[in-house]
Amino acid sequence: MRHDPGPAAPGVDLEQERVLRAELSRLIEPGDLLAGLALETFGAQSLHALITSARAPSAAERDRMAQVADSAGLGARQQDLRTGLARWRTRCGQLHGASDLATIRRLGGGLLIPQDPGWPAQLGDLGPLAPVAIWFRGSREESASQALGRLPGPARTVAIVGSREVTDYGIRITAQLTEDLVHAGLCVVSGGAYGVDAAAHRAALRACSDQDSGSRRAEDSGDRDASRFSDADCSAPTLAVLAGGLDRFYPAGNERLLREVAEQGLLLSEMAPGSAPTRHRFLQRNRLIAALGMVTVITEARWRSGAQSTAHHALNLGREVGVIPGSVFSAASAGCHGLLRETPAQLVRDATDILNLVAEGAGPETAHPPGPSQESLAIGSWAGRRESASRPAVQPELPLGREHPQDGLDEAQRLLFDALPRRGLSEPGKLSQVAGLPLPTVLAELTRLQRSGRARMVNGHWGRA
């Protein structure tokens, strides 16, 4: 059962709805379950008006929100509409929806909203964790509608992800799988990062340079699985889902590659132009990659690779997850082996195995579970179980259990740590806007981060320790 966003509010046309959702995409952090439930409950127009006003929510609004949030499994404090409004209102001074839309259109893109015919239906599987809207960027030489015409159907997408630190083996197997899948008519979705992501995007672009090769390969091999997709259009070989605004290419070292993806495929993001990528947004971005792909494939992943959160999201959505095994002596494949050992992920060896998973998932009887609860999609919940599991007996180049500065932090602390400048200092009011947290919360959590050795204060200004 897929989530239905419903029509635009009465009296609000699609362009007005687009401006409202453009501004909501700046106010609300990705993966905010309370915000998603509020958007379902009140609609974009009413929620936008409530956030941008100074009024307190009525008792009826609070009770209605509490009932909906309670049924979704949120705790008493988390389901309070006043708590959500306090954090969403921190960015009200940054609202320029019409200007943001003009910016993305100048870059050859636009904003896709759930009421648009081209909205990817599979995002509805995220339920209230679905994005408010999707910003996209194509070629400047074509219209936004032409760019959206390249968006593939849900049964023709496969997500391929893995570690940023990739070996020659990881690059080779990623490229081979990607080329075979694109030749078979599939679109490869990834995250635009270094390592496996970049290898997948490059291979997809390379494979699509000769559109006839896929059909010839399917015909010559007689592979029924491949020939099933051989008549597909190769107009969008790959999609890159980014964690920041599409007005800049991140990481900068992949700028040329991302420009090519924009020219031949599409760049996607739920973040408004000008939004910086943060660790929180990278992890939440992974849920979109998992939802867009009919199957998620991990080709090479270290023990703490972010690609494993993508696999976790896919499994929670009822998607098939395929994993390429590696050497038991390689730390670069330790995360792959952990997935195979501890989850329902399936071992795959080649594109034929992946095509079989796609064919199984594309059947008309495929059941799509309702949107996952906050607990099932909590970032790091599965990673925490991995940390407590026994480690593989390998001698890696880097310690498998090395700590990350955000280990042990709750969501508010992670958002605030992301907002702290790596160099220099920032005042609490600015940190409140960047993190999307109310000022009293920022002040309290800064003290806790300072006590744990993660933050430093100089003359009332704060930075990372």
Side-chain angles (χ1 to χ4, degrees):
M1 178 179 178
R2 284 194 168 129
H3 167 67
D4 182 4
V12 178
D13 63 26
L14 281 182
E15 288 312 304
Q16 288 177 301
E17 180 88 2
R18 208 176 308 281
V19 174
L20 291 173
R21 286 182 176 265
E23 296 193 342
L24 287 172
S25 75
R26 187 175 295 281
L27 292 171
I28 297 168
E29 276 294 312
D32 188 327
L33 181 56
L34 183 64
L37 293 168
L39 187 58
E40 284 184 353
T41 304
F42 302 114
Q45 184 182 32
S46 296
L47 180 60
H48 184 280
L50 180 58
I51 294 174
T52 54
S53 71
R55 75 172 178 88
S58 67
E61 288 171 330
R62 290 176 55 199
D63 290 344
R64 187 179 175 193
M65 192 71 254
Q67 291 176 2
V68 173
D70 184 63
S71 65
L74 283 175
R77 185 171 180 272
Q78 295 173 307
Q79 63 187 236
D80 191 335
L81 184 57
R82 294 173 299 181
T83 301
L85 288 172
R87 62 176 180 265
W88 305 329
R89 285 171 171 169
T90 59
R91 296 175 180 156
C92 283
Q94 303 175 13
L95 296 186
H96 308 285
S99 176
D100 287 338
L101 288 168
T103 296
I104 198 66
R105 286 165 180 160
R106 283 196 302 270
L107 297 173
L111 182 69
L112 197 59
I113 62 175
Q115 290 79 15
D116 286 326
W119 178 262
Q122 61 269 41
L123 291 178
D125 292 346
L126 289 168
L129 291 180
V132 172
I134 291 290
W135 299 84
F136 65 91
R137 178 173 178 177
S139 169
R140 291 192 182 193
E141 307 303 319
E142 61 185 5
S143 67
S145 59
Q146 288 175 316
L148 275 181
R150 296 200 298 269
L151 201 62
R156 296 192 183 277
T157 52
V158 171
I160 295 184
V161 293
S163 292
R164 287 170 173 79
E165 297 173 290
V166 66
T167 67
D168 288 342
Y169 167 77
I171 292 175
R172 285 169 52 205
I173 190 61
T174 300
Q176 179 181 318
L177 290 176
T178 300
E179 289 179 7
D180 289 344
L181 292 172
V182 172
H183 285 148
L186 295 179
C187 173
V188 170
V189 184
S190 198
Y194 296 128
V196 166
D197 289 13
H201 292 308
R202 289 193 178 97
L205 295 170
R206 186 167 58 245
C208 200
S209 62
D210 182 359
Q211 292 192 8
D212 294 333
S213 62
S215 297
R216 288 199 301 269
R217 181 174 298 190
E219 292 170 1
D220 295 344
S221 66
D223 187 335
R224 288 184 295 177
D225 289 326
S227 63
R228 175 180 178 182
F229 297 98
S230 62
D231 60 347
D233 187 4
C234 189
S235 57
T238 188
L239 308 176
V241 186
L242 306 187
L246 299 182
D247 53 328
R248 68 166 176 160
F249 298 103
Y250 186 90
N254 279 351
E255 178 176 346
R256 181 176 177 181
L257 170 63
L258 294 173
R259 286 188 183 278
E260 292 178 9
V261 173
E263 292 290 329
Q264 298 186 47
L266 276 178
L267 302 180
L268 305 174
S269 176
E270 60 186 316
M271 302 306 304
S275 301
T278 64
R279 178 177 169 83
H280 171 80
R281 291 169 181 173
F282 275 114
L283 290 172
Q284 289 295 337
R285 178 275 311 267
N286 293 342
R287 83 191 194 286
L288 302 186
I289 296 175
L292 288 168
M294 177 63 66
V295 171
T296 294
V297 180
I298 316 295
T299 56
E300 189 175 58
R302 293 177 178 268
W303 189 256
R304 299 199 60 169
S305 168
Q308 296 189 61
S309 77
T310 309
H312 176 44
H313 284 302
L315 291 169
N316 279 323
L317 290 171
R319 302 285 200 273
E320 296 285 357
V321 173
V323 176
I324 293 290
S327 168
V328 296
F329 298 107
S330 173
S333 291
C336 292
H337 299 154
L339 283 169
L340 290 171
R341 184 175 62 247
E342 301 168 13
T343 77
Q346 299 189 43
L347 186 150
V348 293
R349 302 158 298 174
D350 52 31
T352 299
D353 288 346
I354 299 170
L355 287 168
N356 287 333
L357 294 180
V358 172
E360 292 172 9
E365 290 80 20
T366 299
H368 293 272
S373 66
Q374 184 190 44
E375 181 179 1
S376 67
L377 269 184
I379 297 298
S381 63
W382 183 79
R385 293 197 295 275
R386 284 191 291 112
E387 287 300 317
S388 63
S390 58
R391 301 282 173 80
V394 297
Q395 295 298 323
E397 304 92 346
L398 294 172
L400 291 176
R402 70 187 188 280
E403 293 185 357
H404 188 277
Q406 295 194 25
D407 286 352
L409 300 184
D410 61 24
E411 183 176 359
Q413 291 168 341
R414 288 197 300 269
L415 289 170
L416 185 54
F417 185 83
D418 275 341
L420 286 170
R422 296 176 184 273
R423 300 182 181 86
L425 301 166
S426 183
E427 62 181 0
K430 178 65 174 178
L431 293 174
S432 172
Q433 295 178 17
V434 174
L437 296 170
L439 187 58
T441 301
V442 168
L443 294 172
E445 298 302 345
L446 281 173
T447 301
R448 293 188 178 94
L449 290 175
Q450 184 182 37
R451 288 173 181 168
S452 66
R454 293 177 173 91
R456 61 191 176 95
M457 182 185 70
V458 179
N459 297 327
H461 289 64
W462 294 81
R464 294 192 187 183

